[in-house]
């Protein structure tokens, strides 16, 4: 099977080379006979999709994107800019949003992941008022929770902008949400998510890479690169296949009561590998068409 073509993010300082964060991966693709074409991530995030793909040869697709996260709206602009050049993306914009944002994948994984609620919120918008927050959190009931947006949390500011010891404490919930939104600023993705907190064991997380519903690699999570647990995949695989997205990742962790849980689902194009991994097994599994 011929290896696919990939759009890698270019180095902002040396545009003719892949971004250093992805240079090892680009080399693995090229070494296996795949094609690497560069796109300007800074231009893409600035809303200049046509400039971002100016170096992509006409009628040369389809491509898998591989690089830094982009908001779903910007990914849609990337798809349209490529279409204007006679190219396409192997993951369409609708599928990218489904796997990348929690509201897109949550229903399929609801029995396997912490209970969650959410509301749409524009970047730069103020936090919901206390009554609205209490109403939003209500279905989760009493107990601790986690604040995030549709894609990411601010776990490094755990007590300040992520963890809520008691969701029914509306004052504390409002303080954490307000600080989270202040720190996210224009990078807020989609809106506000509240999740029930579940304590996990110290084994770390496993990141499972799926291509067309098949697990093609299991790596450590980039946040715990020295720990690689071995979760069962049957139930998760069924959910991945129901989701119907071509290249996705699932992050799995062992809850303290011994139950494996899905911590996050992500689009494989923007999911990180642990340090030292070049992704060869993943890239080799991606079909050219």
């Amino acid at each position: 099977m011929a290896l696919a073509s990939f759009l890698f993010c270019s180095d902002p300082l040396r545009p003719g080379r892949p971004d250093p964060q992805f240079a090892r991966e680009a080399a693995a693709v090229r070494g296996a006979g795949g094609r690497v074409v560069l796109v300007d991530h800074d231009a893409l995030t600035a809303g200049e999709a046509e400039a971002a793909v100016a170096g992509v040869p006409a009628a040369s697709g389809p491509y898998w994107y591989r690089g830094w996260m982009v908001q779903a709206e910007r990914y849609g602009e990337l798809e349209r800019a490529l279409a204007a050049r006679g190219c396409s993306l192997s993951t369409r914009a609708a599928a990218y949003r489904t796997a990348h944002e929690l509201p897109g994948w949550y229903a399929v994984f609801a029995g396997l992941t912490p209970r969650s609620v959410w509301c749409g919120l524009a970047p730069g918008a103020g936090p919901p008022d206390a009554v609205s927050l209490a109403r939003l959190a209500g279905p989760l009931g009493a107990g601790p929770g986690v604040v995030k947006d549709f894609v990411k949390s601010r776990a490094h500011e755990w007590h300040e902008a992520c963890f809520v010891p008691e969701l029914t404490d509306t004052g504390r919930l409002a303080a954490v949400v307000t600080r989270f939104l202040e720190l996210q600023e224009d990078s807020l993705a989609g809106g506000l998510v509240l999740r029930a907190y579940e304590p996990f064991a110290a084994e770390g997380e496993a990141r499972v890479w799926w291509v067309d519903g098949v697990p093609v690699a299991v790596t450590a999570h980039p946040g715990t690169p020295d720990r690689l647990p071995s979760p069962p995949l049957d139930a998760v695989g069924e959910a991945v296949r129901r989701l119907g997205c071509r290249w996705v990742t699932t992050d799995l962790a062992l809850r303290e009561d011994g139950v494996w849980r899905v911590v996050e689902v992500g689009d494989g194009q923007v999911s990180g590998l642990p340090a030292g991994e070049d992704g060869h097994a993943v890239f080799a599994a991606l079909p050219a068409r």
Side-chain angles (χ1 to χ4, degrees), residues 39-49 52 65 70 74-75 77-78:
V39 294
D40 186 335
H41 179 263
D42 289 344
L44 181 59
T45 57
E48 301 169 0
Y65 172 76
V70 293
R74 295 295 187 229
Y75 190 91
E77 293 168 3
L78 172 65

Side-chain angles (χ1 to χ4, degrees), residues 11-26:
D11 185 340
L13 300 179
R14 295 176 293 182
R17 300 185 183 185
D19 188 295
Q21 180 68 29
F22 302 100
R24 181 190 293 266
E25 299 178 21

Side-chain angles (χ1 to χ4, degrees), residues 45-57:
T45 57
E48 301 169 0
E50 292 78 9
V53 302
V56 179

Side-chain angles (χ1 to χ4, degrees), residues 144-147 157-166 172 176 197:
V146 171
V147 174
E157 294 96 4
W158 181 251
H159 294 289
E160 177 186 5
C162 186
F163 180 68
V164 182
E166 175 52 61
R172 182 59 187 157
V176 174
Y197 171 75

